[in-house]
Short mmCIF file of all heavy atoms in Angstrom, two decimals:
data_model
loop_
_atom_site.label_atom_id
_atom_site.label_comp_id
_atom_site.label_asym_id
_atom_site.label_seq_id
_atom_site.Cartn_x
_atom_site.Cartn_y
_atom_site.Cartn_z
N THR A 604 14.60 3.12 34.06
CA THR A 604 13.62 3.58 35.03
C THR A 604 12.31 3.99 34.38
O THR A 604 11.25 3.55 34.79
CB THR A 604 14.19 4.76 35.82
OG1 THR A 604 14.61 5.78 34.90
CG2 THR A 604 15.37 4.33 36.67
N SER A 605 12.40 4.82 33.33
CA SER A 605 11.18 5.34 32.76
C SER A 605 10.52 4.40 31.77
O SER A 605 9.30 4.38 31.65
CB SER A 605 11.46 6.68 32.07
OG SER A 605 12.38 6.51 31.02
N ASP A 606 11.31 3.66 31.04
CA ASP A 606 10.74 2.78 30.01
C ASP A 606 11.62 1.54 29.88
O ASP A 606 12.48 1.47 29.01
CB ASP A 606 10.68 3.51 28.66
CG ASP A 606 9.97 2.68 27.61
OD1 ASP A 606 9.41 1.63 27.96
OD2 ASP A 606 9.98 3.10 26.44
N PRO A 607 11.45 0.56 30.73
CA PRO A 607 12.36 -0.58 30.78
C PRO A 607 12.41 -1.38 29.50
O PRO A 607 13.35 -2.15 29.29
CB PRO A 607 11.80 -1.44 31.92
CG PRO A 607 10.36 -1.04 32.04
CD PRO A 607 10.35 0.42 31.70
N CYS A 608 11.44 -1.23 28.64
CA CYS A 608 11.45 -2.01 27.41
C CYS A 608 11.65 -1.17 26.17
O CYS A 608 11.54 -1.67 25.06
CB CYS A 608 10.15 -2.81 27.27
SG CYS A 608 10.02 -4.11 28.48
N GLY A 609 11.85 0.11 26.30
CA GLY A 609 12.02 0.94 25.12
C GLY A 609 10.70 1.09 24.39
O GLY A 609 9.63 0.85 24.91
N VAL A 610 10.80 1.49 23.16
CA VAL A 610 9.60 1.67 22.35
C VAL A 610 9.33 0.37 21.63
O VAL A 610 10.03 0.01 20.71
CB VAL A 610 9.79 2.82 21.33
CG1 VAL A 610 8.53 3.00 20.51
CG2 VAL A 610 10.15 4.10 22.06
N ILE A 611 8.31 -0.33 22.10
CA ILE A 611 7.97 -1.62 21.49
C ILE A 611 6.64 -1.47 20.79
O ILE A 611 5.63 -1.17 21.42
CB ILE A 611 7.89 -2.74 22.54
CG1 ILE A 611 9.23 -2.85 23.28
CG2 ILE A 611 7.53 -4.06 21.90
CD1 ILE A 611 9.21 -3.88 24.38
N ALA A 612 6.63 -1.66 19.50
CA ALA A 612 5.37 -1.56 18.77
C ALA A 612 4.47 -2.70 19.15
O ALA A 612 4.91 -3.75 19.59
CB ALA A 612 5.65 -1.60 17.26
N SER A 613 3.17 -2.48 19.02
CA SER A 613 2.21 -3.51 19.39
C SER A 613 2.47 -4.77 18.61
O SER A 613 2.76 -4.74 17.42
CB SER A 613 0.78 -3.03 19.11
OG SER A 613 0.48 -1.92 19.90
N CYS A 614 2.36 -5.91 19.33
CA CYS A 614 2.48 -7.19 18.66
C CYS A 614 1.36 -7.30 17.64
O CYS A 614 0.24 -6.91 17.91
CB CYS A 614 2.36 -8.34 19.65
SG CYS A 614 3.71 -8.39 20.82
N THR A 615 1.67 -7.84 16.49
CA THR A 615 0.67 -7.95 15.45
C THR A 615 0.45 -9.39 15.09
O THR A 615 1.36 -10.19 15.08
CB THR A 615 1.11 -7.19 14.18
OG1 THR A 615 2.39 -7.69 13.79
CG2 THR A 615 1.19 -5.70 14.44
N SER A 616 -0.78 -9.70 14.80
CA SER A 616 -1.09 -11.03 14.28
C SER A 616 -1.16 -10.93 12.77
O SER A 616 -0.97 -9.88 12.19
CB SER A 616 -2.44 -11.51 14.82
OG SER A 616 -3.47 -10.74 14.25
N THR A 617 -1.45 -12.06 12.12
CA THR A 617 -1.54 -12.06 10.66
C THR A 617 -2.58 -11.07 10.19
O THR A 617 -2.42 -10.39 9.19
CB THR A 617 -1.92 -13.47 10.18
OG1 THR A 617 -0.93 -14.38 10.66
CG2 THR A 617 -1.95 -13.53 8.67
N ARG A 618 -3.67 -10.99 10.94
CA ARG A 618 -4.74 -10.09 10.50
C ARG A 618 -4.35 -8.64 10.59
O ARG A 618 -4.99 -7.78 10.00
CB ARG A 618 -5.99 -10.37 11.36
CG ARG A 618 -6.61 -11.73 11.14
CD ARG A 618 -7.88 -11.87 11.97
NE ARG A 618 -7.60 -11.85 13.38
CZ ARG A 618 -7.35 -12.93 14.09
NH1 ARG A 618 -7.32 -14.11 13.50
NH2 ARG A 618 -7.13 -12.85 15.39
N GLN A 619 -3.27 -8.30 11.37
CA GLN A 619 -2.85 -6.91 11.55
C GLN A 619 -1.53 -6.64 10.86
O GLN A 619 -0.97 -5.57 11.04
CB GLN A 619 -2.72 -6.62 13.04
CG GLN A 619 -4.03 -6.79 13.81
CD GLN A 619 -3.78 -6.79 15.29
OE1 GLN A 619 -2.85 -7.42 15.78
NE2 GLN A 619 -4.61 -6.09 16.02
N ALA A 620 -1.00 -7.58 10.12
CA ALA A 620 0.30 -7.42 9.51
C ALA A 620 0.28 -6.35 8.44
O ALA A 620 -0.76 -5.97 7.92
CB ALA A 620 0.77 -8.74 8.91
N ALA A 621 1.49 -5.87 8.12
CA ALA A 621 1.59 -4.84 7.08
C ALA A 621 1.07 -5.37 5.76
O ALA A 621 0.52 -4.62 4.95
CB ALA A 621 3.04 -4.40 6.94
N ASN A 622 1.27 -6.64 5.49
CA ASN A 622 0.73 -7.25 4.30
C ASN A 622 -0.51 -8.04 4.68
O ASN A 622 -0.41 -9.13 5.21
CB ASN A 622 1.78 -8.19 3.68
CG ASN A 622 1.28 -8.79 2.36
OD1 ASN A 622 0.11 -8.63 2.00
ND2 ASN A 622 2.17 -9.48 1.66
N PRO A 623 -1.70 -7.53 4.44
CA PRO A 623 -2.92 -8.21 4.88
C PRO A 623 -3.17 -9.52 4.17
O PRO A 623 -4.04 -10.27 4.58
CB PRO A 623 -4.02 -7.18 4.56
CG PRO A 623 -3.45 -6.35 3.45
CD PRO A 623 -1.97 -6.28 3.71
N ASN A 624 -2.42 -9.80 3.10
CA ASN A 624 -2.60 -11.07 2.40
C ASN A 624 -1.95 -12.23 3.11
O ASN A 624 -2.19 -13.38 2.78
CB ASN A 624 -2.02 -10.97 0.97
CG ASN A 624 -2.80 -10.01 0.12
OD1 ASN A 624 -4.01 -9.90 0.26
ND2 ASN A 624 -2.12 -9.31 -0.78
N ARG A 625 -1.10 -11.94 4.11
CA ARG A 625 -0.44 -13.04 4.83
C ARG A 625 -1.42 -13.57 5.88
O ARG A 625 -1.64 -12.97 6.90
CB ARG A 625 0.83 -12.55 5.53
CG ARG A 625 1.98 -12.28 4.60
CD ARG A 625 3.27 -12.20 5.40
NE ARG A 625 4.41 -11.88 4.57
CZ ARG A 625 4.87 -10.67 4.40
NH1 ARG A 625 4.29 -9.65 5.01
NH2 ARG A 625 5.92 -10.45 3.64
N THR A 626 -2.01 -14.70 5.60
CA THR A 626 -2.92 -15.34 6.55
C THR A 626 -2.45 -16.74 6.81
O THR A 626 -1.77 -17.35 6.00
CB THR A 626 -4.36 -15.37 6.02
OG1 THR A 626 -4.38 -16.13 4.83
CG2 THR A 626 -4.86 -13.95 5.74
N VAL A 627 -2.86 -17.29 7.96
CA VAL A 627 -2.42 -18.63 8.30
C VAL A 627 -2.96 -19.68 7.34
O VAL A 627 -2.23 -20.49 6.82
CB VAL A 627 -2.81 -18.96 9.76
CG1 VAL A 627 -2.48 -20.40 10.09
CG2 VAL A 627 -2.08 -18.03 10.71
#
Side-chain angles (χ1 to χ4, degrees):
T604 55
S605 62
D606 186 7
C608 291
V610 181
I611 302 177
S613 296
C614 294
T615 56
S616 69
T617 303
R618 293 184 295 270
Q619 299 167 316
N622 183 352
N624 293 326
R625 287 196 183 96
T626 61
V627 174

